[in-house]
């Protein structure tokens, strides 16, 4: 089978996954004419990526941007140095069978294999800051010391293989108390909200809405907001004790922070709703609380949905303004995704979110570490994103699930040094 045949098959697979994703999330799978045109152009797009890989394979190792070390500045100290610019994006695993939030052997092997595969920064799946903040009952957490101890053995292993590790602190808000996205559960018809008599729980949000297609959530009181902010700080303390090098605050994908940020979901009339200043208040309070307890010599990061892709929603200009403000408070790592609230109206295709990273990167000082994510699958594609100045790093998600050795294979294509363990030397390619 030729390389091009494999890539054509990959295109079909991605399109099928896209249809499944949109249907599952309650978004219409119907595409606009413009979207159809983009899909029809994927063949040329992927052929260009293949040619790009061939081109970059001829480059000397010291000329590859993707495998040039980078340091994420911290508020004090020398910063967090990464061996390359390839980051493992956070991905839910739904592997907590005891529903206690404690990471398992699966997480050790899953995340450990990514360190072996050459990723420079491993970002965990969303780790809930409270039990009610879990997306599903099979999600990991960091709201107690037992969970922190479970994470510690993972951070130790990742460090022993030359990678750094960040924890994504999260609260799902109105999108909590749902079934994990596992094939067996879907086959059994277990999708959407978990009934309370089946282990589900009451959820909270900025403003109650049916936009999520789930059981209604309750509007948070000011007192609940204050308690919630403190829970993020307590989780940060545990993350430090567990040995994490960086915190990534999850402000994307329609979860609780995003529910406050977006005008689509925040209809409050108090100091947490209405104006941009008010809608960003919850996040800013979280950042200040976390920064107050997180060591100055450890990195602070955030994941944004850079766009709701709706005219009256959260826009790129809002993201830029907020990123600039958070930068002034010590935030240096910014990962740019998109959407998550209501129907998806945005673009599709390989690297479709890269322009969001580029817009934020261009608005911040040069020492900010801005990463792009979303259907970045090929070494040449990733290299081009960096050498053209669109981002400082790439976050790899589904491609890593299919190949934990993605960075090492990319290094092979680009002529850079690989980072696989000594035990894998006999399997070098």
């Amino acid at each position: 089978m030729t390389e091009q045949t494999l890539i054509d098959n990959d295109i079909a697979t991605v399109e099928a996954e896209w249809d499944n994703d949109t249907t599952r999330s309650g978004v219409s799978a119907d595409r606009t004419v413009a979207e159809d045109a983009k899909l029809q152009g994927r063949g040329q797009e992927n052929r260009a990526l293949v040619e790009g890989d061939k081109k970059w394979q001829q480059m000397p190792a010291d000329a590859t941007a993707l495998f040039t070390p980078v340091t994420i500045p911290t508020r004090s100290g020398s910063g967090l140095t990464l061996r390359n610019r390839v980051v493992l994006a956070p991905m839910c695993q739904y592997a907590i069978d005891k529903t206690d939030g404690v990471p398992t052997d699966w997480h050790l092997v899953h995340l450990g294999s990514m360190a072996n595969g050459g990723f420079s920064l491993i970002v965990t799946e969303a780790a809930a800051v409270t039990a009610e903040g879990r997306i599903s009952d099979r999600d990991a957490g960091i709201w107690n010391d037992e969970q922190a101890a479970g994470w510690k053995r993972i951070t130790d292993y990742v460090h022993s293989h030359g990678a750094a590790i960040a924890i994504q602190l999260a609260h799902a808000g109105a999108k909590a108390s749902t079934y994990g996205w596992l094939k067996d559960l879907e086959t059994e018809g277990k999708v959407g909200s978990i009934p309370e008599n089946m282990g589900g729980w009451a959820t909270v949000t900025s403003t109650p809405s049916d936009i999520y297609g789930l059981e209604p959530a309750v509007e948070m009181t000011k007192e609940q907001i204050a308690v919630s902010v403190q829970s993020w700080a307590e989780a940060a303390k545990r993350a430090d004790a567990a040995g994490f090098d960086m915190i990534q605050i999850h402000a994307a994908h329609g979860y609780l922070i995003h529910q406050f940020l977006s005008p689509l979901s925040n209809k409050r009339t108090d100091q947490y709703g209405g104006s941009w200043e008010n809608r960003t208040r919850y996040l800013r309070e979280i950042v200040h609380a976390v920064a107050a307890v997180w060591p100055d010599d450890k990195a602070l990061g955030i994941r944004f949905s850079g766009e709701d892709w709706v005219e009256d929603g959260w826009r790129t200009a809002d993201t830029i303004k907020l990123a600039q403000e958070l930068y002034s408070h010590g935030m240096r790592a910014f990962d740019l995704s998109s959407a998550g609230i209501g129907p998806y109206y945005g673009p599709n295709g390989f690297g479709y979110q890269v322009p969001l990273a580029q817009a934020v990167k261009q608005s911040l000082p040069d020492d900010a570490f801005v990463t792009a994510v979303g259907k970045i699958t090929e070494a040449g594609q990733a290299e081009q994103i960096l050498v053209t100045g669109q981002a400082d790093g790439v976050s790899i998600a589904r491609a890593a699930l299919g190949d934990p050795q993605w960075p090492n294979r990319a290094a092979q294509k680009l002529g850079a040094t690989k980072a696989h363990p000594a035990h894998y030397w006999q399997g070098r390619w």
Side-chain angles (χ1 to χ4, degrees):
M1 187 175 291
T2 67
E3 183 175 26
Q4 187 55 54
T5 300
L6 288 170
I7 289 193
D8 289 340
N9 289 342
D10 285 345
I11 296 171
T13 300
V14 170
E15 290 177 356
E17 289 177 347
W18 170 251
D19 288 338
N20 182 57
D21 287 354
T22 53
T23 302
R24 172 178 163 49
S25 60
V27 181
S28 171
D30 294 336
R31 299 191 182 94
T32 64
V33 173
E35 287 168 337
D36 279 334
K38 288 177 183 176
L39 290 173
Q40 291 168 6
R42 281 194 179 180
Q44 292 93 336
E45 191 173 345
N46 273 273
R47 280 188 287 278
L49 292 177
V50 174
E51 292 305 315
D53 272 351
K54 292 177 181 176
K55 173 184 176 183
W56 294 116
Q57 190 172 0
Q58 308 305 315
M59 298 292 287
D62 60 1
T64 61
L66 195 61
F67 290 93
T68 299
V70 62
T71 297
I72 302 175
T74 50
R75 290 165 293 163
S76 70
S78 57
L80 177 61
T81 298
L82 308 179
R83 60 189 175 190
N84 58 53
R85 312 296 183 98
V86 190
V87 176
L88 178 73
M91 291 173 283
C92 291
Q93 297 296 294
Y94 309 112
I96 311 294
D97 292 331
K98 293 183 179 179
T99 69
D100 58 2
V102 178
T104 65
D105 287 347
W106 174 266
H107 297 88
L108 175 64
V109 174
H110 165 63
L111 298 174
S113 69
M114 302 298 176
N116 295 343
F119 285 91
S120 64
L121 176 63
I122 311 292
V123 186
T124 71
E125 64 183 82
V129 298
T130 64
E132 62 272 19
R134 293 170 295 167
I135 303 168
S136 82
D137 58 356
R138 298 193 180 193
D139 283 5
I142 191 154
W143 68 83
N144 64 40
D145 292 342
E146 183 183 4
Q147 294 159 354
W151 285 118
K152 183 66 168 63
R153 68 179 186 137
I154 296 172
T155 63
D156 285 346
Y157 182 88
V158 168
H159 289 149
S160 73
H161 287 278
I165 184 166
I167 187 167
Q168 187 186 64
L169 299 185
H171 192 303
K175 296 177 76 172
S177 187
T178 62
Y179 286 104
W181 189 6
L182 296 172
K183 182 179 180 181
D184 290 349
L185 293 178
E186 288 202 344
T187 300
E188 296 171 13
K190 294 180 177 179
V191 295
S193 297
I194 304 173
E196 289 198 33
N197 63 359
M198 297 293 289
W201 58 91
T203 58
V204 295
T205 187
S206 57
T207 309
S209 172
D210 60 2
I211 196 171
Y212 309 105
L214 301 168
E215 287 297 312
V218 175
E219 181 171 313
M220 295 176 75
T221 65
K222 295 175 185 176
E223 292 74 20
Q224 286 176 312
I225 291 173
V227 171
S228 176
V229 168
Q230 187 57 34
S231 71
W232 290 81
E234 294 301 318
K237 290 180 184 178
R238 293 190 183 93
D240 178 36
F244 285 100
D245 303 297
M246 188 177 99
I247 281 174
Q248 183 186 86
I249 293 173
H250 196 355
H253 300 166
Y255 297 123
L256 185 58
I257 291 176
H258 192 186
Q259 290 162 24
F260 274 87
L261 294 178
S262 176
L264 300 177
S265 52
N266 187 345
K267 308 295 182 184
R268 299 176 72 103
T269 57
D270 61 6
Q271 68 264 42
Y272 291 96
S275 68
W276 184 92
E277 185 73 16
N278 285 352
R279 284 184 286 107
T280 61
R281 189 182 306 278
Y282 177 57
L283 172 57
R284 289 185 285 110
E285 289 180 352
I286 288 170
V287 172
H288 293 160
V290 167
V293 300
W294 185 244
D296 284 351
D297 60 351
K298 290 190 173 186
L300 272 173
I302 191 165
R303 169 171 265 198
F304 279 127
S305 272
E307 265 278 354
D308 283 339
W309 304 114
V310 178
E311 184 175 352
D312 296 326
W314 181 260
R315 306 307 306 274
T316 306
D318 297 314
T319 305
I320 289 171
K321 182 178 178 181
L322 187 52
Q324 291 172 333
E325 180 166 342
L326 296 183
Y327 178 93
S328 70
H329 291 288
M331 191 78 72
R332 290 295 182 272
F334 302 84
D335 192 51
L336 273 297
S337 188
S338 70
I341 291 179
Y344 183 80
Y345 297 110
N348 186 27
F350 291 87
Y352 68 103
Q353 293 173 151
V354 172
L356 301 177
Q358 182 176 10
V360 171
K361 174 177 168 54
Q362 292 175 344
S363 73
L364 295 174
D366 289 341
D367 66 345
F369 182 64
V370 180
T371 47
V373 67
K375 295 185 181 176
I376 299 171
T377 62
E378 300 294 330
Q381 175 196 18
E383 179 74 7
Q384 187 172 31
I385 289 168
L386 301 193
V387 298
T388 55
Q390 297 174 84
D392 302 295
V394 293
S395 292
I396 306 298
R398 294 191 190 190
L401 295 182
D403 184 4
Q405 291 281 328
W406 193 96
N408 282 330
R409 296 192 190 281
Q412 168 76 16
K413 291 181 178 181
L414 300 179
T417 301
K418 290 173 283 188
H420 56 65
H423 316 291
Y424 284 0
W425 180 79
Q426 292 186 70
R428 63 197 184 281
W429 57 89

